[in-house]
């Protein structure tokens, strides 16, 4: 089945120790998103890739970086995790039309992975 | 900027009964999509139902239906014949249809639904 896969499901890292979370997809979607979700809160968009174009949200800390080496894979790098970065990290994908005027129609719902629960000790 | 408001942090329903979750949104746009996503405990978020703003007919998916009131900017979710498996956090989300959004969703804060046996 086509799907969004996140590895690992649970990750424990030490304060200040870099960590990388992985997302892969078999849906061949052109957009991949990374969200941070803290307990009982809505997902907060960190950034997304539209094909190879990286789009950072204005309030995403510099501590968070992302890489997308190919269509199928996307990585979230946290350079120096702090205690406040402990959260569930969700990857999502979507097939979006060209973002020129008048051609961005369609539901383009997002398909989510199961998430990676990050603990910072 | 668009906003999505879910005014019910928690709701409870008896098994087999009907429950309605509320969602309001604010936008100056006329062309957009609205979604309800379900996030069960420790499980991944899945799409429940979607509604295109230009369609007057309310969307329905089996036991799930919406009441879309465009003028009032309201988008409530009705769950009929509630089942234990419906227990989850439900998020209302908005997506513009105008160029440049790249599919970005604006989420409400969610409503936690409990189902009592």
């Amino acid at each position: 089945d086509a799907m969004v896969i996140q590895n690992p499901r649970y990750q424990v890292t030490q304060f200040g120790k870099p960590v990388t979370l992985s997302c892969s997809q078999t849906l061949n979607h052109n957009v991949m998103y990374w969200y941070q979700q803290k307990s009982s809160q809505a997902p907060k968009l960190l950034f997304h890739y539209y094909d190879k174009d990286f789009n950072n949200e204005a309030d995403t800390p510099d501590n968070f970086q992302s890489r997308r080496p190919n269509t199928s894979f996307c990585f979230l790098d946290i350079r120096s995790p702090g205690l406040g970065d402990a959260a569930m990290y969700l990857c999502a994908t979507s097939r979006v039309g060209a973002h020129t005027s008048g051609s961005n129609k369609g539901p383009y719902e997002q398909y989510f992975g199961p998430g990676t629960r990050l603990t910072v000790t | 900027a668009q906003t999505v408001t879910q005014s019910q942090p928690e709701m409870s329903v008896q098994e087999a009964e009907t429950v309605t979750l509320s969602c309001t949104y604010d936008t100056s746009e006329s062309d957009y999509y609205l979604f309800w996503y379900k996030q069960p405990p420790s499980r991944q978020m899945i799409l429940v139902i979607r509604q295109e703003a230009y369609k007057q007919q309310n969307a329905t998916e089996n036991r799930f239906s919406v009441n879309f009131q465009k003028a009032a900017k309201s988008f409530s979710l009705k769950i009929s014949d509630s089942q234990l498996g419906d227990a989850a956090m439900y998020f209302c989300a908005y997506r513009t249809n105008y160029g440049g959004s790249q599919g970005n969703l604006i989420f409400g804060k969610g409503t936690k639904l409990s189902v009592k046996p």
Side-chain angles (χ1 to χ4, degrees), chain B residues 17-37:
Chain B
E17 298 294 311
T18 296
V19 64
T20 298
L21 308 184
S22 300
C23 173
T24 58
Y25 58 96
D26 189 25
T27 185
S28 59
E29 299 172 342
S30 59
D31 190 9
Y32 50 86
Y33 271 88
L34 296 165
F35 304 89
W36 278 99
Y37 278 89

Side-chain angles (χ1 to χ4, degrees), chain A residues 9 31 33 35 37 40-43 45 48 50 55 57 90 96 99-100 104-110 112-114, chain B residues 31 33 35 37 39 42-45 47 50 89 91 95-105 107-110:
Chain A
R9 294 292 307 278
V31 187
Y33 309 83
Y35 291 89
Q37 186 180 28
S40 301
Q41 295 184 21
L45 182 64
H48 72 275
Y50 183 96
N55 297 268
E57 293 300 298
L90 302 176
V96 179
H99 55 86
T100 54
N104 199 21
K105 304 295 185 179
Y108 302 138
E109 55 259 33
Q110 294 186 18
F112 285 82
Chain B
D31 190 9
Y33 271 88
F35 304 89
Y37 278 89
Q39 188 177 37
S42 301
R43 295 181 64 184
Q44 70 195 83
M45 192 172 310
L47 178 68
R50 65 172 182 257
M89 186 73 91
F91 292 99
R95 181 201 173 273
T96 184
N97 248 3
Y98 289 93
S101 76
Q102 300 172 3
N104 290 3
L105 295 173
F107 285 96
K109 291 188 175 182

Side-chain angles (χ1 to χ4, degrees), chain A residues 15 19 22 36 41 44 47 49 52 61 63 65-66 68 77-78 86 95 97-98 113 116 118:
Chain A
F15 182 94
V19 65
S22 170
Q36 180 192 65
Q41 295 184 21
K44 178 182 181 297
F47 28 58
Y49 271 95
K52 294 183 178 180
N63 198 26
Q65 304 286 323
S66 186
R68 190 180 186 185
D77 301 309
I78 308 177
R95 177 178 294 282
T116 295
L118 178 68

Side-chain angles (χ1 to χ4, degrees), chain A residues 43-109:
Chain A
K44 178 182 181 297
L45 182 64
L46 296 173
F47 28 58
H48 72 275
Y49 271 95
Y50 183 96
D51 291 325
K52 294 183 178 180
D53 293 333
F54 178 69
N55 297 268
N56 199 30
E57 293 300 298
D59 57 353
T60 297
D62 293 339
N63 198 26
F64 291 87
Q65 304 286 323
S66 186
R67 296 170 283 134
R68 190 180 186 185
N70 54 53
T71 300
S72 301
F73 284 86
C74 195
F75 301 98
L76 169 62
D77 301 309
I78 308 177
R79 293 191 297 186
S80 181
L83 297 179
D85 297 327
M88 178 73 84
Y89 289 87
L90 302 176
C91 175
T93 72
S94 181
R95 177 178 294 282
V96 179
H99 55 86
T100 54
S101 177
S103 60
N104 199 21
K105 304 295 185 179
Y108 302 138
E109 55 259 33

Side-chain angles (χ1 to χ4, degrees), chain A residues 5-24:
Chain A
I5 303 162
Q6 289 189 246
N7 286 306
R9 294 292 307 278
Y10 301 91
Q11 176 74 58
V12 180
T13 190
Q14 293 177 335
F15 182 94
K17 184 176 181 180
V19 65
T20 295
L21 309 183
S22 170
C23 178
S24 64

